[in-house]
Amino acid sequence: MPENAPPAKNPKITLLDADTLGDADLAPLCLAGELTAFPISAPGEVGERLRGADCAVANKAIVGAEALAQAPDLRLIAVAATGVNNIDLKAAAERGVAVCNVAGYSTDSVAQHAIALLLMLATNAHRFAAEPRRWAESPFFTRFDFPAIELAGKTFGIVGCGAIGQRAGAAAEALGMRVACLGRAGSAAAARPDWPRLETADFFAACDAVSLHCPMTESNAGMIGEAALGQMKRTAFLVNTARGGLVDEAALVKALRSGQIGGAALDTISTEPPPADHPLLDPTIPNLILTPHTAWSPAESRARLVAEVAENIRRYFAGEPRNRVG
């Protein structure tokens, strides 16, 4: 069968991890083909579940070489995400299986979450809100137990000035912040040329908040380590809504405990879900906020994601593939 040729007018679609999409309406996938959905698929279950399928849909389910070998009819892996590190792209290419992803579906949601985390660090509103009864114990009209700062006039630093980084930067500007970007080899300054691109040492030293919005690569794994944290202001905040592996977690814990930086808010960490003894789950770490990889999760984002996955499938089996990454 030639690559991209439709194996059937009504392709058999296997969704490997429907629970990772929450309560999103799967109707668009049903319209794209004959859908079989599994709540969650462990690595050892993927191959058997893909047997006889024309198309696999996976958010975080791992589709490796062994599973692909058990799925001779498979023609397409439609990833319900932007990142495709859960797919063995080499093995898929060797078997003539196309891989496509979805980008841009959660730009507004992730930027919104990044700014929400920054506001929590700046205002400590979450800590006050968690203690409503303490207000009744106050001898006067307010409480000063947790510090708050104004963001206006401070510098918001972006690592990764793509669509999400630009949206977060625009929101920071609306709060009265200055915006700067980390200038890296190969990065383009075409987007928002009005925002200065600073060399590494100057960037970390200048920023009052550093927000990560870049993909993870071999070259930037652990980029926020002892060196970068040591260059930051002692009052600076770190926000990560990108990839957990960008941060050296041991170095971050050390920096927070020693007061090397002012605080950190993370929506993603190196292991998800984390084991119960993960060092970042220690409640004694000061000024650390964790959210469980929810920046992408608003209902509107998930609806766009499902619709785009369905359109990727429809277009591929119509002989008009799009969003190919493998």
Side-chain angles (χ1 to χ4, degrees), residues 16-56:
L16 293 168
D17 46 6
D19 281 2
T20 66
L21 300 175
D23 61 355
D25 185 358
L26 301 181
L29 293 177
C30 296
L31 294 174
E34 180 184 331
L35 178 66
T36 300
F38 295 94
I40 293 292
S41 296
E45 299 172 321
V46 171
E48 176 62 31
R49 290 178 174 181
L50 290 181
R51 188 168 288 130
D54 302 305
C55 173

PDB file of all heavy atoms in Angstrom, residues 16-56:
ATOM      1  N   LEU A  16      -5.760   5.297  22.809  1.00  0.00           N
ATOM      2  CA  LEU A  16      -5.073   4.509  23.831  1.00  0.00           C
ATOM      3  C   LEU A  16      -5.238   5.039  25.245  1.00  0.00           C
ATOM      4  O   LEU A  16      -5.089   4.273  26.204  1.00  0.00           O
ATOM      5  CB  LEU A  16      -3.580   4.414  23.498  1.00  0.00           C
ATOM      6  CG  LEU A  16      -3.236   3.610  22.245  1.00  0.00           C
ATOM      7  CD1 LEU A  16      -1.785   3.838  21.854  1.00  0.00           C
ATOM      8  CD2 LEU A  16      -3.497   2.122  22.494  1.00  0.00           C
ATOM      9  N   ASP A  17      -5.516   6.335  25.398  1.00  0.00           N
ATOM     10  CA  ASP A  17      -5.555   6.900  26.754  1.00  0.00           C
ATOM     11  C   ASP A  17      -6.603   8.006  26.865  1.00  0.00           C
ATOM     12  O   ASP A  17      -6.283   9.165  27.110  1.00  0.00           O
ATOM     13  CB  ASP A  17      -4.179   7.391  27.186  1.00  0.00           C
ATOM     14  CG  ASP A  17      -3.456   8.217  26.123  1.00  0.00           C
ATOM     15  OD1 ASP A  17      -4.069   8.509  25.084  1.00  0.00           O
ATOM     16  OD2 ASP A  17      -2.283   8.563  26.351  1.00  0.00           O
ATOM     17  N   ALA A  18      -7.857   7.601  26.722  1.00  0.00           N
ATOM     18  CA  ALA A  18      -8.959   8.571  26.724  1.00  0.00           C
ATOM     19  C   ALA A  18      -9.047   9.350  28.026  1.00  0.00           C
ATOM     20  O   ALA A  18      -9.440  10.521  28.030  1.00  0.00           O
ATOM     21  CB  ALA A  18     -10.284   7.849  26.458  1.00  0.00           C
ATOM     22  N   ASP A  19      -8.676   8.727  29.145  1.00  0.00           N
ATOM     23  CA  ASP A  19      -8.803   9.413  30.427  1.00  0.00           C
ATOM     24  C   ASP A  19      -7.914  10.650  30.512  1.00  0.00           C
ATOM     25  O   ASP A  19      -8.203  11.564  31.279  1.00  0.00           O
ATOM     26  CB  ASP A  19      -8.467   8.461  31.579  1.00  0.00           C
ATOM     27  CG  ASP A  19      -9.623   7.529  31.918  1.00  0.00           C
ATOM     28  OD1 ASP A  19     -10.665   7.598  31.230  1.00  0.00           O
ATOM     29  OD2 ASP A  19      -9.490   6.723  32.863  1.00  0.00           O
ATOM     30  N   THR A  20      -6.836  10.687  29.730  1.00  0.00           N
ATOM     31  CA  THR A  20      -5.951  11.853  29.766  1.00  0.00           C
ATOM     32  C   THR A  20      -6.579  13.062  29.092  1.00  0.00           C
ATOM     33  O   THR A  20      -6.031  14.161  29.184  1.00  0.00           O
ATOM     34  CB  THR A  20      -4.604  11.546  29.087  1.00  0.00           C
ATOM     35  OG1 THR A  20      -4.810  11.316  27.685  1.00  0.00           O
ATOM     36  CG2 THR A  20      -3.935  10.331  29.710  1.00  0.00           C
ATOM     37  N   LEU A  21      -7.717  12.865  28.439  1.00  0.00           N
ATOM     38  CA  LEU A  21      -8.438  13.979  27.810  1.00  0.00           C
ATOM     39  C   LEU A  21      -9.595  14.457  28.682  1.00  0.00           C
ATOM     40  O   LEU A  21     -10.353  15.343  28.283  1.00  0.00           O
ATOM     41  CB  LEU A  21      -8.959  13.560  26.437  1.00  0.00           C
ATOM     42  CG  LEU A  21      -7.885  13.130  25.434  1.00  0.00           C
ATOM     43  CD1 LEU A  21      -8.525  12.626  24.148  1.00  0.00           C
ATOM     44  CD2 LEU A  21      -6.923  14.277  25.142  1.00  0.00           C
ATOM     45  N   GLY A  22      -9.734  13.858  29.870  1.00  0.00           N
ATOM     46  CA  GLY A  22     -10.787  14.265  30.791  1.00  0.00           C
ATOM     47  C   GLY A  22     -12.165  14.031  30.205  1.00  0.00           C
ATOM     48  O   GLY A  22     -12.430  12.982  29.605  1.00  0.00           O
ATOM     49  N   ASP A  23     -13.045  15.023  30.350  1.00  0.00           N
ATOM     50  CA  ASP A  23     -14.419  14.884  29.880  1.00  0.00           C
ATOM     51  C   ASP A  23     -14.610  15.481  28.485  1.00  0.00           C
ATOM     52  O   ASP A  23     -15.725  15.822  28.096  1.00  0.00           O
ATOM     53  CB  ASP A  23     -15.391  15.526  30.859  1.00  0.00           C
ATOM     54  CG  ASP A  23     -15.142  17.030  31.037  1.00  0.00           C
ATOM     55  OD1 ASP A  23     -14.156  17.543  30.471  1.00  0.00           O
ATOM     56  OD2 ASP A  23     -15.926  17.678  31.755  1.00  0.00           O
ATOM     57  N   ALA A  24     -13.538  15.599  27.733  1.00  0.00           N
ATOM     58  CA  ALA A  24     -13.656  16.149  26.377  1.00  0.00           C
ATOM     59  C   ALA A  24     -14.576  15.285  25.530  1.00  0.00           C
ATOM     60  O   ALA A  24     -14.573  14.062  25.608  1.00  0.00           O
ATOM     61  CB  ALA A  24     -12.272  16.231  25.729  1.00  0.00           C
ATOM     62  N   ASP A  25     -15.363  15.935  24.701  1.00  0.00           N
ATOM     63  CA  ASP A  25     -16.292  15.245  23.811  1.00  0.00           C
ATOM     64  C   ASP A  25     -15.506  14.571  22.691  1.00  0.00           C
ATOM     65  O   ASP A  25     -14.788  15.228  21.935  1.00  0.00           O
ATOM     66  CB  ASP A  25     -17.280  16.263  23.236  1.00  0.00           C
ATOM     67  CG  ASP A  25     -18.375  15.627  22.392  1.00  0.00           C
ATOM     68  OD1 ASP A  25     -18.358  14.386  22.215  1.00  0.00           O
ATOM     69  OD2 ASP A  25     -19.243  16.372  21.893  1.00  0.00           O
ATOM     70  N   LEU A  26     -15.647  13.260  22.564  1.00  0.00           N
ATOM     71  CA  LEU A  26     -14.907  12.496  21.561  1.00  0.00           C
ATOM     72  C   LEU A  26     -15.672  12.353  20.253  1.00  0.00           C
ATOM     73  O   LEU A  26     -15.241  11.622  19.358  1.00  0.00           O
ATOM     74  CB  LEU A  26     -14.561  11.110  22.115  1.00  0.00           C
ATOM     75  CG  LEU A  26     -13.723  11.081  23.393  1.00  0.00           C
ATOM     76  CD1 LEU A  26     -13.438   9.633  23.798  1.00  0.00           C
ATOM     77  CD2 LEU A  26     -12.422  11.866  23.225  1.00  0.00           C
ATOM     78  N   ALA A  27     -16.796  13.053  20.127  1.00  0.00           N
ATOM     79  CA  ALA A  27     -17.611  12.932  18.916  1.00  0.00           C
ATOM     80  C   ALA A  27     -16.827  13.192  17.637  1.00  0.00           C
ATOM     81  O   ALA A  27     -17.027  12.485  16.638  1.00  0.00           O
ATOM     82  CB  ALA A  27     -18.827  13.858  19.005  1.00  0.00           C
ATOM     83  N   PRO A  28     -15.921  14.191  17.592  1.00  0.00           N
ATOM     84  CA  PRO A  28     -15.166  14.398  16.351  1.00  0.00           C
ATOM     85  C   PRO A  28     -14.354  13.178  15.931  1.00  0.00           C
ATOM     86  O   PRO A  28     -14.222  12.906  14.731  1.00  0.00           O
ATOM     87  CB  PRO A  28     -14.245  15.584  16.686  1.00  0.00           C
ATOM     88  CG  PRO A  28     -14.994  16.339  17.736  1.00  0.00           C
ATOM     89  CD  PRO A  28     -15.654  15.275  18.566  1.00  0.00           C
ATOM     90  N   LEU A  29     -13.840  12.430  16.892  1.00  0.00           N
ATOM     91  CA  LEU A  29     -13.090  11.214  16.560  1.00  0.00           C
ATOM     92  C   LEU A  29     -14.026  10.140  16.016  1.00  0.00           C
ATOM     93  O   LEU A  29     -13.656   9.381  15.110  1.00  0.00           O
ATOM     94  CB  LEU A  29     -12.347  10.690  17.786  1.00  0.00           C
ATOM     95  CG  LEU A  29     -11.213  11.571  18.316  1.00  0.00           C
ATOM     96  CD1 LEU A  29     -10.604  10.953  19.577  1.00  0.00           C
ATOM     97  CD2 LEU A  29     -10.131  11.763  17.260  1.00  0.00           C
ATOM     98  N   CYS A  30     -15.231  10.074  16.565  1.00  0.00           N
ATOM     99  CA  CYS A  30     -16.206   9.106  16.062  1.00  0.00           C
ATOM    100  C   CYS A  30     -16.593   9.415  14.626  1.00  0.00           C
ATOM    101  O   CYS A  30     -16.865   8.501  13.831  1.00  0.00           O
ATOM    102  CB  CYS A  30     -17.444   9.102  16.955  1.00  0.00           C
ATOM    103  SG  CYS A  30     -17.152   8.549  18.650  1.00  0.00           S
ATOM    104  N   LEU A  31     -16.629  10.688  14.274  1.00  0.00           N
ATOM    105  CA  LEU A  31     -16.957  11.077  12.909  1.00  0.00           C
ATOM    106  C   LEU A  31     -15.809  10.792  11.948  1.00  0.00           C
ATOM    107  O   LEU A  31     -16.025  10.669  10.735  1.00  0.00           O
ATOM    108  CB  LEU A  31     -17.330  12.560  12.857  1.00  0.00           C
ATOM    109  CG  LEU A  31     -18.611  12.960  13.592  1.00  0.00           C
ATOM    110  CD1 LEU A  31     -18.770  14.477  13.581  1.00  0.00           C
ATOM    111  CD2 LEU A  31     -19.825  12.289  12.953  1.00  0.00           C
ATOM    112  N   ALA A  32     -14.578  10.712  12.496  1.00  0.00           N
ATOM    113  CA  ALA A  32     -13.405  10.488  11.648  1.00  0.00           C
ATOM    114  C   ALA A  32     -13.193   9.029  11.301  1.00  0.00           C
ATOM    115  O   ALA A  32     -12.437   8.701  10.380  1.00  0.00           O
ATOM    116  CB  ALA A  32     -12.155  11.036  12.327  1.00  0.00           C
ATOM    117  N   GLY A  33     -13.861   8.126  12.026  1.00  0.00           N
ATOM    118  CA  GLY A  33     -13.685   6.701  11.767  1.00  0.00           C
ATOM    119  C   GLY A  33     -14.393   5.865  12.810  1.00  0.00           C
ATOM    120  O   GLY A  33     -15.228   6.356  13.580  1.00  0.00           O
ATOM    121  N   GLU A  34     -14.055   4.593  12.843  1.00  0.00           N
ATOM    122  CA  GLU A  34     -14.639   3.656  13.806  1.00  0.00           C
ATOM    123  C   GLU A  34     -13.775   3.658  15.061  1.00  0.00           C
ATOM    124  O   GLU A  34     -12.667   3.120  15.072  1.00  0.00           O
ATOM    125  CB  GLU A  34     -14.688   2.263  13.187  1.00  0.00           C
ATOM    126  CG  GLU A  34     -15.283   1.189  14.083  1.00  0.00           C
ATOM    127  CD  GLU A  34     -15.211  -0.181  13.445  1.00  0.00           C
ATOM    128  OE1 GLU A  34     -15.228  -0.264  12.193  1.00  0.00           O
ATOM    129  OE2 GLU A  34     -15.119  -1.176  14.195  1.00  0.00           O
ATOM    130  N   LEU A  35     -14.267   4.280  16.125  1.00  0.00           N
ATOM    131  CA  LEU A  35     -13.460   4.540  17.306  1.00  0.00           C
ATOM    132  C   LEU A  35     -13.602   3.461  18.367  1.00  0.00           C
ATOM    133  O   LEU A  35     -14.708   3.070  18.734  1.00  0.00           O
ATOM    134  CB  LEU A  35     -13.845   5.890  17.922  1.00  0.00           C
ATOM    135  CG  LEU A  35     -13.104   6.284  19.201  1.00  0.00           C
ATOM    136  CD1 LEU A  35     -11.620   6.519  18.908  1.00  0.00           C
ATOM    137  CD2 LEU A  35     -13.738   7.526  19.832  1.00  0.00           C
ATOM    138  N   THR A  36     -12.466   3.001  18.863  1.00  0.00           N
ATOM    139  CA  THR A  36     -12.383   2.178  20.066  1.00  0.00           C
ATOM    140  C   THR A  36     -11.515   2.930  21.051  1.00  0.00           C
ATOM    141  O   THR A  36     -10.375   3.293  20.736  1.00  0.00           O
ATOM    142  CB  THR A  36     -11.749   0.809  19.781  1.00  0.00           C
ATOM    143  OG1 THR A  36     -12.551   0.120  18.811  1.00  0.00           O
ATOM    144  CG2 THR A  36     -11.658  -0.024  21.051  1.00  0.00           C
ATOM    145  N   ALA A  37     -12.036   3.188  22.246  1.00  0.00           N
ATOM    146  CA  ALA A  37     -11.316   4.002  23.221  1.00  0.00           C
ATOM    147  C   ALA A  37     -11.028   3.203  24.478  1.00  0.00           C
ATOM    148  O   ALA A  37     -11.900   2.504  25.005  1.00  0.00           O
ATOM    149  CB  ALA A  37     -12.124   5.251  23.567  1.00  0.00           C
ATOM    150  N   PHE A  38      -9.796   3.293  24.947  1.00  0.00           N
ATOM    151  CA  PHE A  38      -9.374   2.690  26.201  1.00  0.00           C
ATOM    152  C   PHE A  38      -9.051   3.809  27.194  1.00  0.00           C
ATOM    153  O   PHE A  38      -8.461   4.826  26.808  1.00  0.00           O
ATOM    154  CB  PHE A  38      -8.144   1.813  25.998  1.00  0.00           C
ATOM    155  CG  PHE A  38      -8.383   0.622  25.124  1.00  0.00           C
ATOM    156  CD1 PHE A  38      -8.108   0.685  23.764  1.00  0.00           C
ATOM    157  CD2 PHE A  38      -8.897  -0.555  25.648  1.00  0.00           C
ATOM    158  CE1 PHE A  38      -8.327  -0.411  22.943  1.00  0.00           C
ATOM    159  CE2 PHE A  38      -9.125  -1.660  24.831  1.00  0.00           C
ATOM    160  CZ  PHE A  38      -8.842  -1.593  23.478  1.00  0.00           C
ATOM    161  N   PRO A  39      -9.406   3.638  28.468  1.00  0.00           N
ATOM    162  CA  PRO A  39      -9.129   4.696  29.448  1.00  0.00           C
ATOM    163  C   PRO A  39      -7.641   5.024  29.557  1.00  0.00           C
ATOM    164  O   PRO A  39      -7.230   6.177  29.444  1.00  0.00           O
ATOM    165  CB  PRO A  39      -9.677   4.130  30.758  1.00  0.00           C
ATOM    166  CG  PRO A  39     -10.675   3.092  30.344  1.00  0.00           C
ATOM    167  CD  PRO A  39     -10.150   2.507  29.080  1.00  0.00           C
ATOM    168  N   ILE A  40      -6.833   3.996  29.791  1.00  0.00           N
ATOM    169  CA  ILE A  40      -5.382   4.119  29.925  1.00  0.00           C
ATOM    170  C   ILE A  40      -4.765   2.851  29.363  1.00  0.00           C
ATOM    171  O   ILE A  40      -5.340   1.778  29.474  1.00  0.00           O
ATOM    172  CB  ILE A  40      -4.960   4.295  31.396  1.00  0.00           C
ATOM    173  CG1 ILE A  40      -5.440   5.641  31.941  1.00  0.00           C
ATOM    174  CG2 ILE A  40      -3.441   4.201  31.566  1.00  0.00           C
ATOM    175  CD1 ILE A  40      -4.745   6.859  31.331  1.00  0.00           C
ATOM    176  N   SER A  41      -3.593   2.974  28.755  1.00  0.00           N
ATOM    177  CA  SER A  41      -2.911   1.794  28.215  1.00  0.00           C
ATOM    178  C   SER A  41      -1.482   1.753  28.735  1.00  0.00           C
ATOM    179  O   SER A  41      -0.693   2.682  28.503  1.00  0.00           O
ATOM    180  CB  SER A  41      -2.884   1.826  26.685  1.00  0.00           C
ATOM    181  OG  SER A  41      -4.197   1.753  26.147  1.00  0.00           O
ATOM    182  N   ALA A  42      -1.163   0.689  29.464  1.00  0.00           N
ATOM    183  CA  ALA A  42       0.216   0.475  29.910  1.00  0.00           C
ATOM    184  C   ALA A  42       1.057   0.063  28.704  1.00  0.00           C
ATOM    185  O   ALA A  42       0.520  -0.454  27.709  1.00  0.00           O
ATOM    186  CB  ALA A  42       0.251  -0.607  30.983  1.00  0.00           C
ATOM    187  N   PRO A  43       2.373   0.278  28.754  1.00  0.00           N
ATOM    188  CA  PRO A  43       3.224  -0.067  27.606  1.00  0.00           C
ATOM    189  C   PRO A  43       3.024  -1.484  27.103  1.00  0.00           C
ATOM    190  O   PRO A  43       3.011  -1.724  25.890  1.00  0.00           O
ATOM    191  CB  PRO A  43       4.635   0.146  28.154  1.00  0.00           C
ATOM    192  CG  PRO A  43       4.467   1.224  29.174  1.00  0.00           C
ATOM    193  CD  PRO A  43       3.143   0.957  29.821  1.00  0.00           C
ATOM    194  N   GLY A  44       2.826  -2.431  27.993  1.00  0.00           N
ATOM    195  CA  GLY A  44       2.657  -3.820  27.586  1.00  0.00           C
ATOM    196  C   GLY A  44       1.323  -4.121  26.929  1.00  0.00           C
ATOM    197  O   GLY A  44       1.151  -5.206  26.366  1.00  0.00           O
ATOM    198  N   GLU A  45       0.383  -3.184  27.011  1.00  0.00           N
ATOM    199  CA  GLU A  45      -0.945  -3.393  26.432  1.00  0.00           C
ATOM    200  C   GLU A  45      -1.108  -2.754  25.063  1.00  0.00           C
ATOM    201  O   GLU A  45      -2.048  -3.071  24.333  1.00  0.00           O
ATOM    202  CB  GLU A  45      -2.016  -2.815  27.371  1.00  0.00           C
ATOM    203  CG  GLU A  45      -2.058  -3.449  28.742  1.00  0.00           C
ATOM    204  CD  GLU A  45      -2.992  -2.729  29.692  1.00  0.00           C
ATOM    205  OE1 GLU A  45      -3.035  -1.474  29.649  1.00  0.00           O
ATOM    206  OE2 GLU A  45      -3.667  -3.422  30.483  1.00  0.00           O
ATOM    207  N   VAL A  46      -0.196  -1.864  24.706  1.00  0.00           N
ATOM    208  CA  VAL A  46      -0.389  -1.049  23.510  1.00  0.00           C
ATOM    209  C   VAL A  46      -0.418  -1.888  22.243  1.00  0.00           C
ATOM    210  O   VAL A  46      -1.293  -1.722  21.378  1.00  0.00           O
ATOM    211  CB  VAL A  46       0.709   0.034  23.422  1.00  0.00           C
ATOM    212  CG1 VAL A  46       0.662   0.741  22.067  1.00  0.00           C
ATOM    213  CG2 VAL A  46       0.528   1.050  24.542  1.00  0.00           C
ATOM    214  N   GLY A  47       0.537  -2.805  22.079  1.00  0.00           N
ATOM    215  CA  GLY A  47       0.610  -3.598  20.853  1.00  0.00           C
ATOM    216  C   GLY A  47      -0.653  -4.384  20.579  1.00  0.00           C
ATOM    217  O   GLY A  47      -1.182  -4.371  19.457  1.00  0.00           O
ATOM    218  N   GLU A  48      -1.151  -5.065  21.595  1.00  0.00           N
ATOM    219  CA  GLU A  48      -2.371  -5.862  21.431  1.00  0.00           C
ATOM    220  C   GLU A  48      -3.563  -4.973  21.096  1.00  0.00           C
ATOM    221  O   GLU A  48      -4.388  -5.317  20.240  1.00  0.00           O
ATOM    222  CB  GLU A  48      -2.646  -6.639  22.722  1.00  0.00           C
ATOM    223  CG  GLU A  48      -3.947  -7.434  22.721  1.00  0.00           C
ATOM    224  CD  GLU A  48      -3.987  -8.509  21.649  1.00  0.00           C
ATOM    225  OE1 GLU A  48      -2.911  -9.057  21.305  1.00  0.00           O
ATOM    226  OE2 GLU A  48      -5.093  -8.804  21.144  1.00  0.00           O
ATOM    227  N   ARG A  49      -3.640  -3.821  21.715  1.00  0.00           N
ATOM    228  CA  ARG A  49      -4.778  -2.933  21.488  1.00  0.00           C
ATOM    229  C   ARG A  49      -4.731  -2.281  20.108  1.00  0.00           C
ATOM    230  O   ARG A  49      -5.769  -1.850  19.600  1.00  0.00           O
ATOM    231  CB  ARG A  49      -4.833  -1.878  22.588  1.00  0.00           C
ATOM    232  CG  ARG A  49      -5.231  -2.485  23.926  1.00  0.00           C
ATOM    233  CD  ARG A  49      -5.252  -1.496  25.071  1.00  0.00           C
ATOM    234  NE  ARG A  49      -5.778  -2.131  26.269  1.00  0.00           N
ATOM    235  CZ  ARG A  49      -5.935  -1.532  27.437  1.00  0.00           C
ATOM    236  NH1 ARG A  49      -5.599  -0.244  27.565  1.00  0.00           N
ATOM    237  NH2 ARG A  49      -6.433  -2.185  28.468  1.00  0.00           N
ATOM    238  N   LEU A  50      -3.545  -2.212  19.516  1.00  0.00           N
ATOM    239  CA  LEU A  50      -3.432  -1.621  18.189  1.00  0.00           C
ATOM    240  C   LEU A  50      -3.554  -2.652  17.075  1.00  0.00           C
ATOM    241  O   LEU A  50      -3.585  -2.277  15.902  1.00  0.00           O
ATOM    242  CB  LEU A  50      -2.088  -0.887  18.051  1.00  0.00           C
ATOM    243  CG  LEU A  50      -1.931   0.389  18.866  1.00  0.00           C
ATOM    244  CD1 LEU A  50      -0.568   1.022  18.603  1.00  0.00           C
ATOM    245  CD2 LEU A  50      -3.044   1.382  18.563  1.00  0.00           C
ATOM    246  N   ARG A  51      -3.633  -3.913  17.433  1.00  0.00           N
ATOM    247  CA  ARG A  51      -3.761  -4.938  16.400  1.00  0.00           C
ATOM    248  C   ARG A  51      -5.067  -4.739  15.635  1.00  0.00           C
ATOM    249  O   ARG A  51      -6.149  -4.672  16.194  1.00  0.00           O
ATOM    250  CB  ARG A  51      -3.713  -6.334  17.027  1.00  0.00           C
ATOM    251  CG  ARG A  51      -3.636  -7.453  16.020  1.00  0.00           C
ATOM    252  CD  ARG A  51      -3.305  -8.783  16.692  1.00  0.00           C
ATOM    253  NE  ARG A  51      -1.906  -8.817  17.136  1.00  0.00           N
ATOM    254  CZ  ARG A  51      -1.515  -9.166  18.347  1.00  0.00           C
ATOM    255  NH1 ARG A  51      -2.415  -9.479  19.264  1.00  0.00           N
ATOM    256  NH2 ARG A  51      -0.242  -9.211  18.649  1.00  0.00           N
ATOM    257  N   GLY A  52      -4.961  -4.605  14.328  1.00  0.00           N
ATOM    258  CA  GLY A  52      -6.135  -4.411  13.479  1.00  0.00           C
ATOM    259  C   GLY A  52      -6.514  -2.963  13.289  1.00  0.00           C
ATOM    260  O   GLY A  52      -7.401  -2.645  12.482  1.00  0.00           O
ATOM    261  N   ALA A  53      -5.847  -2.048  14.002  1.00  0.00           N
ATOM    262  CA  ALA A  53      -6.185  -0.629  13.887  1.00  0.00           C
ATOM    263  C   ALA A  53      -5.470   0.008  12.701  1.00  0.00           C
ATOM    264  O   ALA A  53      -4.336  -0.345  12.379  1.00  0.00           O
ATOM    265  CB  ALA A  53      -5.811   0.098  15.171  1.00  0.00           C
ATOM    266  N   ASP A  54      -6.128   0.930  12.056  1.00  0.00           N
ATOM    267  CA  ASP A  54      -5.513   1.742  11.005  1.00  0.00           C
ATOM    268  C   ASP A  54      -4.822   2.965  11.578  1.00  0.00           C
ATOM    269  O   ASP A  54      -3.856   3.472  11.013  1.00  0.00           O
ATOM    270  CB  ASP A  54      -6.572   2.205   9.998  1.00  0.00           C
ATOM    271  CG  ASP A  54      -7.307   1.046   9.354  1.00  0.00           C
ATOM    272  OD1 ASP A  54      -6.640   0.172   8.786  1.00  0.00           O
ATOM    273  OD2 ASP A  54      -8.555   1.029   9.437  1.00  0.00           O
ATOM    274  N   CYS A  55      -5.358   3.442  12.709  1.00  0.00           N
ATOM    275  CA  CYS A  55      -4.864   4.685  13.294  1.00  0.00           C
ATOM    276  C   CYS A  55      -4.813   4.561  14.807  1.00  0.00           C
ATOM    277  O   CYS A  55      -5.760   4.051  15.426  1.00  0.00           O
ATOM    278  CB  CYS A  55      -5.777   5.846  12.895  1.00  0.00           C
ATOM    279  SG  CYS A  55      -5.406   7.408  13.718  1.00  0.00           S
ATOM    280  N   ALA A  56      -3.732   5.005  15.402  1.00  0.00           N
ATOM    281  CA  ALA A  56      -3.616   5.093  16.854  1.00  0.00           C
ATOM    282  C   ALA A  56      -3.694   6.553  17.262  1.00  0.00           C
ATOM    283  O   ALA A  56      -3.107   7.424  16.618  1.00  0.00           O
ATOM    284  CB  ALA A  56      -2.292   4.500  17.322  1.00  0.00           C
TER     285      ALA A  56
END
